[in-house]
Amino acid sequence: MASAGGSVDRYRRGFVINVALTGAVADFRKNPNVPVTTAAIVDQARQSYAAGAAIAHFHVRDEEGKPSCEPQRFAAVFEQLRADDTTRGLVLCATTSGRHGQTIDQRAAVLQLPLDIRPDMASLTLGSLNFVTGASINDHDTVRRLCEKMLEAGVKPEIEVFDLGMIAFMHQLIHEGLLAAPFYVNVLLGNLSSAQVDPAHFGLINSYLPDQATVAIAGLGRYQLQANILGLAVADGARVGLEDNLWFDDRRTPATNPGLVSRLAEMASLAQRPLTTSVELRQRLGLRARN
């Protein structure tokens, strides 16, 4: 479990901003700033990196704007970012979501991209849960198989946790040799049927996390700003972006990914939490150097 001094150590390290750009559900008809084309995703990843994000979490869409897991669509994005000197260092994280009934092989296809454009990380949700828009199914054997495929590909899991039971399964996966330190964990709060943006909820989850975990907090929908504040107070980082939240404020002003990153970076500066660079994060997580 996490050591009692973990919260103190966090203030000696940089604060990690993770931007979730597109998602599989975010509706571009409600907010046209949701990037769905390759050009728009690349452009917003570039701007978000310049604004302070160290990690970008990627979904891709097809010509109709529907979610896709076709590896060539990821490749089109990753090739441009890796070829550009200004974005080569950005930590690229690809989704392996099965939110729309994809098979394990479809979910994991992005892990087989050529090494020079293969993502550094890939999302790994540690259990099934209900969202307002429908169920996300991740049975234990599916999660185990995705772990195996990430190990084979040399891709670091971006571990996604929504409640305490997922931490119990995380420890089981560590015992089985399917997950290994150092870990990166997103604790996603505010979903109706899982943990909420409450210091007590996060504190309990955090207390059961293993050592050597870099922990970021995400808030879903209207809870994103509250989660940013909680992350600055007690975590290693936070996740923002239009995948989780379409609106900048309670007036439902359409948000942008770079705008959400910039606001969080400004809050981090006020909280005297210097930002982690992608180079520093790669060293912390044992990722391949890209600069």
Side-chain angles (χ1 to χ4, degrees):
M1 297 181 188
S3 63
S7 60
V8 175
D9 292 341
R10 283 171 175 148
Y11 289 94
R12 298 172 184 159
R13 300 186 296 186
F15 187 78
V16 181
I17 297 180
N18 183 337
V19 59
L21 297 160
T22 302
V25 177
D27 192 340
F28 59 89
R29 291 163 296 191
K30 293 180 179 178
N31 182 344
N33 297 320
V34 175
V36 294
T37 66
T38 295
I41 293 169
V42 168
D43 182 59
Q44 292 198 28
R46 183 178 291 115
Q47 292 184 55
S48 296
Y49 185 44
I55 306 175
H57 171 103
F58 293 90
H59 289 249
V60 290
R61 306 283 185 99
D62 65 15
E63 289 82 358
E64 297 178 352
K66 296 178 180 178
S68 171
C69 56
E70 296 176 7
Q72 62 268 30
R73 295 185 183 278
F74 285 101
V77 172
F78 296 165
E79 283 177 337
Q80 293 188 50
L81 293 171
R82 289 265 169 82
D84 187 338
D85 289 342
T86 66
T87 55
R88 184 176 296 119
L90 175 64
V91 176
L92 306 183
C93 177
T95 183
T96 62
S97 170
R99 189 82 175 268
H100 294 88
Q102 301 97 319
T103 67
I104 294 176
D105 286 342
Q106 289 172 329
R107 293 170 68 167
V110 68
L111 305 176
Q112 301 307 313
L113 288 175
L115 196 58
D116 60 334
I117 56 170
R118 187 175 300 170
D120 303 290
M121 302 176 70
S123 66
L124 182 73
T125 302
L126 294 186
S128 302
L129 68 155
N130 292 319
F131 290 107
V132 173
T133 55
S136 174
I137 306 301
N138 298 285
D139 63 75
H140 286 178
D141 287 344
T142 294
V143 176
R144 285 187 173 97
R145 187 68 185 118
L146 288 172
C147 284
E148 291 169 352
K149 287 179 176 290
M150 290 180 197
L151 283 170
E152 292 166 2
V155 173
K156 171 74 68 176
E158 179 200 39
I159 298 168
E160 297 193 336
V161 167
F162 288 80
D163 58 34
L164 192 59
M166 293 188 187
I167 300 298
F169 188 43
M170 180 178 179
H171 284 280
Q172 179 62 31
L173 294 171
I174 294 168
H175 175 73
E176 295 175 11
L178 294 174
L179 291 177
F183 309 101
Y184 178 88
V185 181
N186 278 328
V187 179
L188 296 102
L189 303 174
N191 182 49
L192 181 62
S193 62
S194 49
Q196 300 303 299
V197 184
D198 183 312
H201 287 210
F202 173 73
L204 185 59
I205 289 173
N206 187 56
S207 70
Y208 281 92
L209 285 170
D211 291 330
Q212 298 186 61
T214 294
V215 184
I217 298 178
L220 305 187
R222 65 182 181 273
Y223 300 112
Q224 187 171 93
L225 182 56
Q226 294 171 335
N228 291 172
I229 295 168
L230 184 60
L232 285 165
V234 296
D236 298 295
R239 168 171 138 166
V240 294
L242 298 183
E243 172 173 350
D244 299 333
N245 168 43
L246 293 175
W247 315 114
F248 192 75
D249 51 37
D250 288 342
R251 296 186 298 275
R252 294 173 74 85
T253 304
T256 69
N257 285 304
L260 291 170
V261 172
S262 294
R263 180 172 67 182
L264 180 52
E266 182 178 358
M267 292 165 59
S269 177
L270 291 170
Q272 300 185 58
R273 299 286 308 268
L275 298 184
T276 294
T277 68
S278 59
V279 172
E280 293 167 342
L281 186 62
R282 287 178 181 279
Q283 293 172 344
R284 189 188 306 182
L285 298 180
L287 303 176
R288 172 182 298 192
R290 293 285 184 181
N291 294 88

